[in-house]
Amino acid sequence: MGQYIVRRLLQAIPMLLIVSILLFALVNLAPGGPLSQYSRSRRMTAERAAALKRQFGLDKPLAVQYIVWLVGNDWMAIDTDGNGITDSYGTRKGVLRGDFGFSYNTREPVLNEIFDRLPNTIYLMTVTLIVVGIVAIPVGIISAVKQYSKFDLTATTLSFMGQAIPEFWLGLLLILFFYAILENPFTGESLFPPGGMYTIGEDFSIWDRIHHLILPVTMGMVGWVAWYSRFLRSSMLDVKNQDYMRTARAKGASERKVLYKHGLKNALIPLVTMFALDFPYIFAGSLYVEIIFSWPGMGRLYYNAATARDYPILLAVLIIGAVIILISNLLADIGYAFLDPRVRFD
Amino acid sequence: MTKSETLDKHQDLTAETTTSRSPESMSAVVWRRFRRHPGAVAGAIVLSIIVIAVLLAPLSPYDPVKSDIKNRYQAPSIEHPFGTDGLGRDLLTRVLYGGRVSLFVGVMVVIITSIIGIPTGMVAGYFGGWVDNILMRILDAALALPTLLVLILLSAILREADVPYLKSNSVMTIAIVIGILSWMTVARLVRAIFLSLRETEYVTAARALGASTFVIMVAEILPNGFGPIIVEATLGIGYAIMIESGLSFLGFGIMPPTPSWGNLLSNAQSHLIEYPWLAIFPGLMIFLTIIAINYIGDGLRDALDPYKVFSKIKE
């Protein structure tokens, strides 16, 4: 198993390099490139532009720029004033040493910007995923155990709707109903706030946090509850007629024990794999939630960076996204092999 | 027993089988099974109504783009069933014209993903070995891209760049960009089909008869995989409409004044409370279209693959 993990990790590295080359090239082929931001300034002269270009290493071919981006240029002598004599060393450390450069807009290190927002996204995602599990798992089990019952038919219809509803539209509807239309009967205020993580200017309170979480979490969970309850239902149905279930029944185990101990345990295996594969998409999906509910997370950071063409931030988030996807795929395979002893490592 | 008697008996037998069970064409079988699925039939009816309404959009007495400031923000009424927007344009007309764009993108994306994905999957699955290995590594790399984020980036770049043939944010550009980032599912499915069918008897028979590799792939194996490919393509239209409307909602897809279901929603958020109809109707159209497509896909899956053979090999 250890060998298998190492081999898969080694396979992931060239993959990541290819993806990073692709993304780097895309971002740098954008018109104006990284300097388009500066050219809007009135104080910008041709000489200053040229000096900046040399300082950023933009006078070099794209391949060299990629290497500088990857491993930095503090070991390279560069010629900032353009007189042909190298006069100083570069200042960039490169992505591999955690230097993603500076945001064009705030002039802050990209990594700082990301670490400012990341906890907020993780906070939102964690709560959403817990709620998804709490709702989807029982619904999926009951639907399968009582196949074609009223409950099953209702759950099936609702899950079709949940998978078809556009997430952003759902968010707008939630704000419309729970902020604009419904009122809290005691205070006459809106039932739920239309955005933000907490009430600004008030002391920390758990209730206030929960109050602000309910709508964004509802928006984020609907599609995934629909998908996972369906998935678990069909996975339970597959398991229902397996030989080992019959054996367990023949040995006299109670129906309850057969279903939950033998059935559910096996039905959850594909769910775990599926969840690992879906994880990056759940993460990316928080983009809509964060934009609609003004949640200060990674999704909004990316969206604002795209609007302002803040390429260092875009590139960093994309690379982090690719890393998350590759790790999730790896975890899915390992988890599958770990949970299902029939899977061989080869 | 004479020879003629045997012959008569034989004829009787064939006559009996043909009268009692008239041979049914494949499409008739599929249609019969599809009809038994009430959700699928309802979905087909809803989708047909939407498609016809969208095609008839030019019959509307209102202009989808020209503004009419006198009639700004009219609530839904008999003259304007969906109300009007901030420039006084009839929302129903704009929703119908937007539907043309959204449905066109949906279909176009599926065509593009099929053009890329089907041949890739065929070659990878049939030849296997190092060809398969290389193609699958490319596929893995494509899957490692966070789709939504890359789409936003590409669209931001295309807005400034002058790329030949990809006019910035035209409907076709958006379809191409989405298509290039979503061919992987189709390729995987077709590969799985080819992997499981290439060793079957009829393929061996065709090979023994001297059929060329190309003929075996296109005429022998591919038609037998049509069922799951059609199901995948149907669901793909819904997926593409969802992605396009999401992108346009964020302002990175189809740009106004061309309406699309997504960008009609993007202006709606700022006026959500005063003019809720601006948000309700375009979103409702996306929702109805996708739910109809999903039900149709589900019905087609039951009709084309009743024993769930192919839904298993997908994994």
Side-chain angles (χ1 to χ4, degrees):
Chain A
M1 181 121 179
Q3 228 183 6
Y4 172 77
I5 296 173
V6 170
R7 201 176 62 226
R8 285 293 312 265
L9 276 174
L10 288 179
Q11 277 174 356
I13 290 169
M15 191 68 69
L16 205 53
L17 278 178
I18 294 170
V19 169
S20 73
I21 290 173
L22 201 76
L23 292 173
F24 184 85
L26 257 180
V27 165
N28 282 276
L29 290 175
L35 285 183
S36 61
Q37 156 84 13
Y38 294 94
S39 62
R40 286 177 213 143
S41 159
R42 243 183 295 141
R43 279 171 298 169
M44 199 67 196
T45 59
E47 297 94 76
R48 281 203 55 186
L52 269 176
K53 246 184 164 170
R54 282 190 295 273
Q55 207 178 339
F56 282 113
L58 296 174
D59 52 338
K60 302 273 187 343
L62 203 58
V64 178
Q65 287 186 41
Y66 174 75
I67 291 168
V68 167
W69 175 79
L70 196 65
V71 297
N73 64 354
D74 50 358
W75 42 273
M76 259 164 115
I78 50 172
D79 169 22
T80 24
D81 46 17
N83 57 6
I85 307 156
T86 57
D87 43 44
S88 65
Y89 283 91
T91 49
R92 293 166 63 181
K93 287 207 174 79
V95 170
L96 290 181
R97 281 180 285 167
D99 176 11
F100 280 93
F102 291 84
S103 154
Y104 291 160
N105 280 347
T106 59
R107 311 284 159 94
E108 288 279 311
V110 169
L111 225 48
N112 288 7
E113 295 272 328
I114 288 176
F115 282 134
D116 276 353
R117 311 296 206 296
L118 193 59
N120 297 340
T121 298
I122 293 176
Y123 165 59
L124 179 65
M125 286 332 317
T126 315
V127 178
T128 308
L129 288 178
I130 292 172
V131 179
V132 168
I134 292 175
V135 181
I137 293 178
V139 170
I141 295 172
I142 299 172
S143 284
V145 172
K146 300 190 175 156
Q147 196 186 3
Y148 303 129
S149 65
K150 267 206 184 102
F151 179 89
D152 181 32
L153 294 179
T154 317
T156 303
T157 313
L158 286 178
S159 94
F160 258 95
M161 292 171 72
Q163 282 181 57
I165 196 164
E167 213 185 344
F168 41 93
W169 186 56
L170 176 66
L172 296 180
L173 291 186
L174 286 174
I175 294 181
L176 189 60
F177 283 107
F178 293 98
Y179 169 69
I181 296 178
L182 292 182
E183 281 179 355
N184 185 328
F186 300 108
T187 58
E189 288 170 4
S190 295
L191 198 53
F192 289 109
M197 281 173 63
Y198 45 81
T199 313
I200 294 163
E202 258 178 48
D203 290 340
F204 177 87
S205 88
I206 287 282
W207 166 241
D208 184 53
R209 290 280 178 144
I210 295 174
H211 199 210
H212 280 83
L213 266 172
I214 290 176
L215 292 188
V217 166
T218 310
M219 171 183 167
M221 68 169 222
V222 166
W224 295 107
V225 166
W227 164 233
Y228 280 118
S229 61
R230 284 282 59 206
F231 191 84
L232 184 60
R233 175 185 183 269
S234 70
S235 161
M236 267 303 257
L237 288 176
D238 277 350
V239 164
K240 227 174 163 181
N241 301 316
Q242 293 286 330
D243 291 344
Y244 55 76
M245 298 284 277
R246 193 154 19 101
T247 311
R249 273 189 201 108
K251 276 164 57 184
S254 68
E255 188 59 29
R256 193 178 189 83
K257 199 172 171 196
V258 173
L259 275 176
Y260 294 104
K261 183 133 186 291
H262 299 261
L264 184 59
K265 225 164 110 186
N266 285 293
L268 283 174
I269 293 177
L271 193 82
V272 169
T273 320
M274 200 31 123
F275 173 71
L277 289 174
D278 282 338
F279 183 73
Y281 299 95
I282 302 176
F283 215 81
S286 77
L287 188 109
Y288 292 117
V289 183
E290 290 179 7
I291 288 165
I292 287 184
F293 287 99
S294 347
W295 194 272
M298 291 272 284
R300 230 158 74 100
L301 176 72
Y302 189 84
Y303 172 75
N304 291 338
T307 317
R309 312 246 171 346
D310 197 340
Y311 290 118
I313 289 197
L314 295 178
L315 194 52
V317 176
L318 283 166
I319 298 284
I320 293 172
V323 172
I324 294 178
I325 291 177
L326 287 171
I327 292 177
S328 306
N329 289 354
L330 185 62
L331 286 179
D333 288 352
I334 294 172
Y336 193 57
F338 187 72
L339 292 169
D340 189 344
R342 287 169 303 181
V343 176
R344 296 282 177 84
F345 302 104
D346 42 36
Chain B
M1 203 192 277
T2 61
K3 205 179 173 187
S4 68
E5 264 184 70
T6 348
L7 208 68
D8 275 357
K9 208 168 181 190
H10 184 73
Q11 275 174 341
D12 275 359
L13 266 176
T14 47
E16 199 180 291
T17 41
T18 42
T19 45
S20 66
R21 269 178 52 270
S22 64
E24 235 178 341
S25 72
M26 185 61 196
S27 52
V29 175
V30 168
W31 173 235
R32 187 162 48 78
R33 291 201 201 116
F34 184 82
R35 260 183 347 209
R36 274 204 305 246
H37 197 301
V41 174
I45 293 170
V46 170
L47 190 65
S48 315
I49 293 173
I50 292 175
V51 169
I52 291 169
V54 154
L55 289 177
L56 295 180
L59 294 183
S60 157
Y62 303 102
D63 188 284
V65 179
K66 223 165 64 195
S67 56
D68 175 14
I69 299 297
K70 280 201 312 279
N71 286 318
R72 301 174 69 206
Y73 294 126
Q74 300 276 319
S77 61
I78 296 173
E79 294 103 83
H80 300 287
F82 286 7
T84 64
D85 68 1
L87 293 172
R89 297 171 293 196
D90 179 55
L91 189 62
L92 175 60
T93 310
R94 280 181 68 73
V95 164
L96 292 179
Y97 274 97
R100 297 179 144 211
V101 173
S102 292
L103 290 172
F104 174 79
V105 171
V107 173
M108 209 57 220
V109 167
V110 167
I111 292 174
I112 295 167
T113 54
S114 304
I115 290 174
I116 308 174
I118 293 180
T120 313
M122 284 168 73
V123 170
Y126 187 82
F127 293 107
W130 62 270
V131 180
D132 181 34
N133 233 318
I134 291 177
L135 289 175
M136 284 307 105
R137 290 294 84 74
I138 296 175
L139 189 140
D140 284 344
L143 279 176
L145 294 171
T147 319
L148 179 64
L149 304 187
V150 175
L151 279 171
I152 293 175
L153 174 78
L154 280 176
S155 159
I157 290 175
L158 281 172
R159 198 164 304 164
E160 293 202 336
D162 240 345
V163 185
Y165 305 112
L166 293 178
K167 234 172 66 213
S168 75
N169 299 301
S170 79
V171 177
M172 195 61 195
T173 307
I174 297 297
I176 291 174
V177 171
I178 298 176
I180 287 175
L181 284 167
S182 5
W183 54 274
M184 294 81 77
T185 338
V186 185
R188 266 208 175 154
L189 173 70
V190 174
R191 172 178 176 268
I193 292 168
F194 270 66
L195 267 179
S196 71
L197 293 182
R198 68 174 181 196
E199 305 299 343
T200 48
E201 280 87 2
Y202 65 86
V203 173
T204 318
R207 212 175 280 140
L209 286 169
S212 70
T213 310
F214 182 77
V215 168
I216 291 176
M217 286 167 78
V218 175
E220 299 288 338
I221 305 182
L222 191 59
N224 284 290
F226 262 160
I229 295 174
I230 287 172
V231 173
E232 195 64 43
T234 312
L235 297 174
I237 296 177
Y239 162 84
I241 291 176
M242 190 80 106
I243 294 271
E244 178 276 316
S245 52
L247 265 187
S248 302
F249 170 74
L250 295 176
F252 289 102
I254 315 284
M255 298 303 281
T258 309
S260 93
W261 286 338
N263 74 24
L264 287 174
L265 275 177
S266 82
N267 304 323
Q269 193 180 1
S270 37
H271 305 294
L272 187 60
I273 288 130
E274 305 102 296
Y275 318 116
W277 58 88
L278 291 178
I280 291 174
F281 293 112
L284 192 64
M285 295 302 283
I286 308 174
F287 179 49
L288 284 178
T289 308
I290 292 177
I291 205 167
I293 288 174
N294 286 354
Y295 269 115
I296 294 171
D298 208 46
L300 281 176
R301 198 196 325 260
D302 287 352
L304 290 165
D305 185 19
Y307 304 108
K308 307 267 178 290
V309 180
F310 285 109
S311 41
K312 287 278 182 303
I313 63 167
K314 243 175 100 179
E315 280 130 35

